[in-house]
Amino acid sequence: MTDTAIAWDTYSRQRPERRPVNAFGEETWFNWTQYADHGPGVELLEVQPGARVLDLGCGKGGNAAHLATLGVIAVGVDVSPCQLAAAQERWGWVPGLEFHQTEAVAFLREDQQGFDAVYSVYGAAWFTDPALLLPAIREQLRPGGRLVFSQRPPVPGCYGCQASYIPRGADEDPLVVKRWDYEPDAWEQLLKEYGFTDVDATVLAAPPGNRTVGTFVVRARA
């Protein structure tokens, strides 16, 4: 197992399971933000039943499962066996849903069918070098297809490749994974350089309350 897979397996064990139902009583739902029952939904992807959609860094599969219940062919990719085992256990019964344990760029380079939309929710779009990931996505997106990803906004002054730390036991050093943070205008420039159009990069405000960090949402079209 790679160091990256070990790190995300460790992260997976620390994360709570998705709730049985959301605030609206729904068993599946799509969430772009770090806050429950907040923000836009699947409409950002602009897909219809029968579309083929890729989740890069699908984790435990909740967002992909929701797409599949809408008649979308949902493909989830993640490097973590632990994450995917949990996804398969909870959502494996959903028709039109498939999971693959692999790295995002490798999967994109091997896929032969293409996608109507590609998305990432605090996933591989945040933790993969955009110089490798963005051209691979652009190659696989069908004409007019959507790329949408969300992550935390960058810390002011901390741009480019950064370190994220995943804690372990009290007597163990944390695991380290790389992430890529840029301001909205930098993301817009990067995406345009790799052939994307209709680029929009904005920060969605946090819901009312004590939390103030919003969610960075980036949208583009092939």
Side-chain angles (χ1 to χ4, degrees):
M1 188 184 301
T2 67
D3 290 345
T4 302
I6 292 170
W8 290 117
D9 267 5
T10 303
Y11 173 82
S12 175
R13 298 185 186 100
Q14 300 169 5
R15 297 292 298 168
E17 298 298 323
R18 179 174 277 214
R19 298 164 293 163
V21 297
N22 65 10
F24 308 102
E26 300 164 329
E27 294 183 356
T28 67
W29 63 93
F30 200 106
N31 187 23
W32 293 100
T33 82
Q34 67 268 48
Y35 302 108
D37 310 309
H38 170 66
V42 69
E43 67 275 5
L44 294 188
L45 296 174
E46 299 181 7
V47 292
Q48 301 297 322
R52 189 167 186 252
V53 177
L54 177 61
D55 184 340
L56 293 175
C58 65
K60 296 179 181 179
N63 285 329
H66 179 65
L67 284 169
T69 66
L70 301 178
V72 169
I73 301 168
V75 181
V77 171
D78 205 286
V79 298
S80 165
C82 187
Q83 296 264 55
L84 292 179
Q88 191 64 42
E89 180 177 358
R90 181 162 180 180
W91 307 113
W93 57 271
V94 180
L97 178 62
E98 60 184 78
F99 295 114
H100 300 269
Q101 185 198 337
T102 185
E103 189 270 336
V105 174
F107 181 84
L108 285 160
R109 288 174 175 171
E110 294 170 3
D111 183 77
Q112 301 296 314
Q113 300 181 56
F115 293 93
D116 298 290
V118 175
Y119 71 92
S120 169
V121 178
Y122 288 70
W126 197 12
F127 296 99
T128 307
D129 185 345
L132 300 176
L133 184 65
L134 293 182
I137 293 173
R138 182 64 186 82
E139 182 69 22
Q140 289 298 336
L141 267 178
R142 295 165 180 166
R146 274 295 204 180
L147 166 62
V148 186
F149 59 91
S150 63
Q151 57 198 51
R152 287 175 65 93
V155 175
C158 298
Y159 308 124
C161 185
Q162 306 289 317
S164 286
Y165 296 92
I166 299 173
R168 294 193 284 178
D171 298 324
E172 297 178 285
D173 290 332
L175 297 164
V176 181
V177 294
K178 296 177 181 179
R179 71 177 194 272
W180 277 261
D181 288 330
Y182 296 101
E183 292 183 298
D185 58 348
W187 273 117
E188 291 177 4
Q189 181 178 346
L190 274 171
L191 285 156
K192 289 175 181 177
E193 286 177 0
Y194 289 109
F196 292 90
T197 63
D198 296 340
V199 181
D200 178 73
T202 58
V203 176
L204 177 69
N210 295 327
R211 300 283 298 276
T212 60
V213 177
T215 303
F216 189 37
V217 180
V218 182
R219 294 180 286 172
R221 194 182 303 278

